Amino acid sequence: SARSFTDVLNFRRINETVAAPLMICHVTPDQLAAIRAANDRMVGALTAAEAAQADYDFHYGLVKAAGNTVLSRMYDVLSVPLKYYLEVGKSQELNTATAKAQHDRIIAALEAHDTAALGAALSDHFQHSGEVLASWLTSREQRSEPITIWPVQRTPHPTQQP
């Protein structure tokens, strides 16, 4: 259901963005190498399932880099639904070039140990993922209004009333 898809995406958004400072503090060179390798595998994947597995491995690598065993265990327990929703998403729009570029920003921020840049890169990545998901769900469910994935605060245009 649309609710399940949005819940999974927002679960990931909440946990990964909030864990960003822990990632900066605890990431190791080996973890960075594994994260980078997963990103490269995603781009070279031949199928949606392979791309989804590599994408999961990328994000799981971030979670492991946070050094929080409870968070890692949550991702272990939820690995099947997380991969399922990633695969469904990849089968609808296998846009790995955008994901790779966003992942590259995440990796660069981790390498630089820049918490603000990592938070911004993760936020942008999940915002893009949410927009792709909202578009697909709106079309799939034949809705006239787009689905809201995450409450985004937008500054009103100067010609609009606040």
Side-chain angles (χ1 to χ4, degrees):
S1 73
R3 179 61 187 253
S4 295
F5 279 96
T6 59
D7 283 352
V8 168
L9 179 63
N10 287 333
F11 165 83
R12 293 177 50 228
R13 179 194 309 248
I14 291 163
N15 284 290
E16 292 178 39
T17 56
V18 172
L22 292 172
M23 294 171 196
I24 294 293
C25 288
H26 300 295
V27 69
T28 67
D30 288 345
Q31 288 170 328
L32 273 169
I35 290 166
R36 185 177 287 102
N39 198 32
D40 292 342
R41 279 196 331 273
M42 184 183 68
V43 174
L46 296 177
T47 66
E50 289 174 357
Q53 179 65 55
D55 197 5
Y56 173 82
D57 292 345
F58 175 88
H59 287 277
Y60 186 65
L62 295 175
V63 167
K64 295 291 277 185
N68 183 296
T69 56
V70 173
L71 182 59
S72 295
R73 185 69 185 130
M74 285 173 46
Y75 271 66
D76 289 335
V77 169
L78 292 171
S79 66
V80 171
L82 290 172
K83 289 178 207 177
Y84 170 77
Y85 290 112
L86 284 168
E87 186 172 345
V88 168
K90 297 282 185 225
S91 70
Q92 301 307 312
E93 183 174 320
L94 192 54
N95 188 354
T96 57
T98 300
K100 172 144 182 6
Q102 291 172 345
H103 287 179
D104 285 342
R105 272 185 65 209
I106 292 166
I107 293 167
L110 266 175
E111 287 177 324
H113 295 279
D114 187 335
T115 304
L118 179 58
L122 285 165
S123 181
D124 289 348
H125 180 55
F126 284 114
Q127 184 62 34
H128 172 76
S129 297
E131 289 167 0
V132 169
L133 177 62
S135 174
W136 175 70
L137 288 172
T138 299
S139 173
R140 177 178 177 255
E141 297 188 358
Q142 299 177 339
R143 294 179 179 227
S144 57
E145 294 292 320
I147 292 172
T148 301
I149 303 294
W150 187 257
V152 176
Q153 300 296 321
R154 300 193 191 277
T155 306
H157 190 273
T159 60
Q160 294 176 329
Q161 294 293 324

